Every structure is written in structure tokens, then in C-alpha cells.
């Protein structure tokens, strides 16, 4: 149904190259129509829609180990070879697609990290209660983000460490948020709703990114570190490509509540990252450089058009 609409737009615009990002609503007709009009295609991967109709590779509370929705994606591997270049916003998301048989014959494969220019950290931190370490979660309150696992682990932490508190920022489906509030039956866990992220980072000592899905490249990780807030993150998707163990944060095994709890305890006991806090913004400097990102896309576009002319 989208094919004639796409065809008309491409004929009207006559682009030198088509850069495609999010596919839902377009379908494979986007690639097929561009290819029929001899327009080279750059596909940028932000999620797993080309492998999974849900776009998450997540089902029944955990990441899918195989491809359970293969019947709905049977034609995608072949169609993906119409693409001249594929870009992953992390190495992890690109590799996952290659492992599932997509872009096997795509000539150009590349990772280009997202970037966002962020200000220098504010010097004035909002102080919590004395001798209390404040952990923070900010983002969508959804199952794939691991917020339930974080609350459960934090409640276990409070049994042995009463000097910790958890601030939860973000919104989600009302019924899921209500479930989280019922789980978090402690005055040391506070729900803030939607807040300004940069202000939020002034209120916490550690940011926690406990994703249970293969999170492609969550911006909150480098955003927090850019504000000199170390991150405790799961070894999920692109998160390990930002966190440097013991330098700007800690990593724990995805879906393992014991290692998450131990990471929270280590943060309270050792505080090794906090002792080097003045230097951690430098560890994510490439993710703050928008000019770097734009230059890479510009150079790729030129490479693709040149390759297309020769072939």
C-alpha cells in the first residue's frame, strides 16, 4: 500500500541517496522502490524491527535467543541486500542483524555512534541526606528497561545498607507504573515523574541503566557520564560500548539480579569511580561531538554515491 506513495515522493525529490532510519509504516517497499529508481540506500539501524515485529527482540520478560517471529520476516534478509550501506548506531545492533542473516551482501557496513552536544556539568550538586548515596533511574518506565529488576535489587540492598536511596524519573503506562509503586514500598524509593535530565543528574551519585533487552544505544548512559555521573549498566546491546569498567561506571550481567545487587553494593562500599569523577566526562567525548557524527554521515553518503556510480 505504501509503494505508490513512496514511488511518487522519490520521483518528485530525485535524491542522490536515500537515508532510511525507522522502517515501521513503510515496509520493504521503501527499499524496493528506491532500488527500482536506481537510488542508493543507506539503512541506519536504531532498533530490531527488521528482525522482530515488536522491534525489541524481547518476549516473556527476556531477550529472545533466536528469531521466534521468522515467518513475519522471511523476506527481509533477501530484501536487505538491496541496501548499499548499513549503519549501526552501535556495534552490537549491527552485529545482531548480521547474525540474523540481514545485509549479508551489503557492500558497506559501518558503525556511527549517535551524538548530542551537552553542556559542561553543573558545579552545584543538589545534596541529598548526609552520608546517603543516591542512585537514579531516568527513562521510559517499561519492562524492557529493567526498572522492576532495579527496584527488586534495591529493596534487597536496603536490608543491609540503609544509607541508600533511589530516585525514579520518567513515565510509562499507568498500570505498569502503579505496579512499580506497589513494589517500591519504601520511603527510600521516590518516583518523580517526567523531569529535566540535566537537573536530575545533579541530584544523584550514580545513574543505573538496567536494561533487560538488547538496548541498541541508550543516550542516557553517555548523557549521565557527560555530567560526571558514573553509570551502573547491564551488559546489554550498546551499553558496554560506552561504560568503561572502573573508569566511568560498572557493568553487570543482563537479567541477573544478583550481579545487579552486587554492583549496587560495590558502589556503596568502594566508590572507586566516584574518586575519579573529575575525569569521566572525557571518556564519552566522542558521543558529545555532533560534528563528528555529521561528518561521518557526510563522508558515508559520498562513498555510497561514488560506489553506486562505479557499479
Amino acid at each position: 500500500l505504501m509503494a505508490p506513495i513512496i514511488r511518487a515522493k522519490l520521483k518528485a525529490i530525485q535524491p542522490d541517496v536515500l537515508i532510511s532510519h525507522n522502517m515501521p509504516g513503510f515496509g520493504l517497499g521503501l527499499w524496493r522502490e528506491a532500488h527500482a529508481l536506481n537510488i542508493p540506500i543507506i539503512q541506519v539501524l536504531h532498533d530490531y524491527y527488521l528482525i522482530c515485529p515488536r522491534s525489541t527482540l524481547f518476549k516473556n520478560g527476556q531477550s529472545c535467543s533466536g528469531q521466534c517471529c521468522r515467518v513475519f520476516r522471511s523476506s527481509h534478509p533477501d530484501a536487505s541486500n538491496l541496501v548499499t550501506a548499513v549503519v549501526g548506531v552501535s556495534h552490537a545492533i549491527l552485529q545482531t542483524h548480521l547474525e540474523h542473516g540481514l545485509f549479508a551482501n551489503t557492500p558497506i557496513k559501518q558503525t556511527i555512534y549517535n551524538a548530542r552536544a551537552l553542556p559542561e556539568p553543573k558545579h552545584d550538586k543538589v545534596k541529598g541526606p548526609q552520608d546517603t548515596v543516591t542512585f537514579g533511574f531516568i527513562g521510559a518506565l517499561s519492562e524492557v528497561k529493567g526498572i522492576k529488576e532495579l527496584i527488586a535489587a534495591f529493596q534487597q540492598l536496603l536490608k543491609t545498607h540503609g544509607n541508600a536511596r533511589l530516585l525514579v524519573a520518567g513515565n510509562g503506562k499507568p498500570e505498569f507504573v502503579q505496579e512499580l509503586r506497589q513494589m517500591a514500598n519504601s520511603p527510600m524509593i521516590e518516583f518523580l515523574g517526567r523531569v529535566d535530565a540535566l537537573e536530575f543528574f545533579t541530584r544523584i551519585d550514580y545513574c543505573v541503566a538496567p536494561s533487560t533487552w538488547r538496548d541498541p544505544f541508550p543516550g542516557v548512559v553517555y548523557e549521565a557520564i557527560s555530567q560526571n555521573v558514573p553509570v551502573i549498566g547491564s551488559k546489554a546491546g550498546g551499553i558496554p560500548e560506552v561504560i568503561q569498567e572502573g573508569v566511568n561506571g560498572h557493568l553487570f550481567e543482563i537479567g541477573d539480579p544478583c550481579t545487579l545487587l552486587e554492583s549496587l553494593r560495590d558502589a556503596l562500599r568502594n566508590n572507586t569511580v566516584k574518586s575519579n569523577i573529575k575525569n569521566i566526562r572525557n571518556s564519552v567525548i566522542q558521543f558529545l561531538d555532533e560534528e563528528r557524527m555529521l561528518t561521518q554521515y557526510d563522508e558515508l553518503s559520498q562513498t555510497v554515491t561514488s560506489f553506486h556510480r562505479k557499479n
Side-chain angles (χ1 to χ4, degrees), residues 276-291:
N276 298 321
I277 200 166
K278 292 182 180 178
N279 301 319
I280 68 172
R281 178 181 168 93
N282 292 333
S283 69
V284 294
I285 205 70
Q286 68 167 317
F287 309 124
L288 311 180
D289 187 353
E290 290 180 347
E291 190 62 32

Side-chain angles (χ1 to χ4, degrees), residues 71-283:
V71 67
F72 297 107
R73 291 294 182 265
S74 59
S75 58
H76 287 60
D78 285 342
S80 69
N81 293 318
L82 300 175
V83 172
T84 309
V86 58
V87 174
V89 295
S90 66
H91 294 306
I93 192 172
L94 177 57
Q95 187 59 33
T96 298
H97 280 76
L98 297 179
E99 289 171 356
H100 281 80
L102 281 93
F103 308 106
N105 299 324
T106 297
I108 301 170
K109 304 175 178 71
Q110 186 174 344
T111 297
I112 298 179
Y113 289 116
N114 291 337
R116 180 184 172 201
L118 293 164
E120 291 287 335
K122 294 180 180 179
H123 294 292
D124 297 327
K125 289 278 187 178
V126 178
K127 301 296 183 181
Q130 191 173 8
D131 299 325
T132 296
V133 175
T134 302
F135 297 93
F137 172 96
I138 182 169
L141 301 185
S142 64
E143 185 181 18
V144 299
K145 290 296 186 179
I147 181 62
K148 288 177 70 173
E149 288 77 4
L150 173 57
I151 290 174
F154 189 79
Q155 288 179 313
Q156 289 296 313
L157 180 72
L158 289 176
K159 292 179 180 179
T160 54
H161 297 76
N163 63 328
R165 68 172 182 158
L166 173 64
L167 300 183
V168 179
N171 293 327
K173 293 183 178 179
E175 59 273 18
F176 185 71
V177 175
Q178 182 61 30
E179 181 183 352
L180 296 177
R181 289 181 176 274
Q182 290 173 350
M183 284 182 62
N185 56 350
S186 168
M188 302 306 287
I189 303 176
E190 183 179 354
F191 288 81
L192 305 178
R194 190 178 181 90
V195 300
D196 177 79
L198 296 182
E199 187 277 332
F200 179 75
F201 294 138
T202 68
R203 302 179 60 183
I204 62 176
D205 297 300
Y206 287 90
C207 183
V208 187
S211 291
T212 52
W213 73 305
R214 305 181 194 191
D215 216 333
F217 193 69
V220 67
V221 177
Y222 68 80
E223 290 168 7
I225 295 170
S226 80
Q227 301 305 296
N228 283 335
V229 176
V231 177
I232 299 170
S234 62
K235 294 179 181 178
I239 294 176
E241 296 174 38
V242 183
I243 295 178
Q244 300 173 34
E245 182 66 39
V247 175
N248 58 20
H250 300 287
L251 290 165
F252 64 90
E253 293 297 331
I254 181 173
D256 186 343
C258 293
T259 58
L260 170 54
L261 175 58
E262 194 57 35
S263 294
L264 298 177
R265 284 176 175 160
D266 282 346
L268 284 169
R269 287 195 300 251
N270 302 325
N271 239 2
T272 53
V273 174
K274 291 287 284 184
S275 64
N276 298 321
I277 200 166
K278 292 182 180 178
N279 301 319
I280 68 172
R281 178 181 168 93
N282 292 333
S283 69

